[in-house]
Amino acid sequence: MESQGWRIRLSPEVAATPESYQTYIQGSRGEFSCAKRSCMKFQNAWVSDRTLCYLASGKPAVVQHTGPSAFLPNGEGLFRFSTLGEAAEAFTAVNADYERHSRAARQLAETYFDAKHVLGRMLGYALL
């Protein structure tokens, strides 16, 4: 990967403190991530907290598809891939219009993962 221009970083280099982790994410172009085997097995549409940090920072994310979702979008700001070809297509799309996908990433975080919205829904279900 490094021969193709990627930088591989060890977590202690970039996440020694919350501030260094935030700086690293905000300085990144976006996220590429593969899921753990258990996430693939359960097919529960799992999304990592790291992915949410990227989206909240306005950084597009290309992540492995971990199951169907009633609300997780695909193809604008967040790309969920099942094959190497789909991952490559996602990178092509992000690079073709990075600014649009960056804005979409931030909007996804605000719409689907902001505590003001999520907590209200959770409390509504819990108090039924």
Side-chain angles (χ1 to χ4, degrees):
M1 290 181 78
E2 290 174 327
S3 68
Q4 298 299 312
W6 289 75
R7 291 184 311 155
I8 309 299
R9 307 283 303 273
L10 298 175
S11 58
E13 295 174 24
V14 299
T17 67
E19 295 79 14
S20 64
Y21 185 55
Q22 179 181 27
T23 299
Y24 175 75
I25 287 176
Q26 291 177 343
S28 298
R29 185 161 171 84
E31 180 191 26
F32 172 67
S33 180
C34 295
K36 294 178 183 177
R37 181 174 284 179
S38 60
C39 297
M40 300 305 300
K41 180 178 180 168
F42 293 124
Q43 289 290 292
N44 59 3
W46 177 82
V47 176
S48 77
D49 58 327
R50 180 184 58 242
T51 298
L52 299 183
C53 290
Y54 276 97
L55 296 175
S57 295
K59 306 297 181 175
V62 178
V63 298
Q64 192 168 12
H65 191 288
T66 56
S69 171
F71 72 92
L72 276 179
N74 184 39
E76 195 164 344
L78 175 66
F79 294 82
R80 302 170 72 219
F81 68 89
S82 296
T83 67
L84 182 59
E86 289 174 357
E89 289 171 8
F91 285 121
T92 298
V94 167
N95 287 327
D97 197 348
Y98 182 76
E99 294 303 319
R100 179 172 65 90
H101 290 293
S102 295
R103 286 189 305 273
R106 176 62 190 193
Q107 186 62 47
L108 290 171
E110 291 176 6
T111 301
Y112 295 107
F113 300 104
D114 188 299
K116 291 179 280 188
H117 305 295
V118 174
L119 186 57
R121 287 195 307 266
M122 288 174 58
L123 288 173
Y125 288 124
L127 298 174
L128 285 179

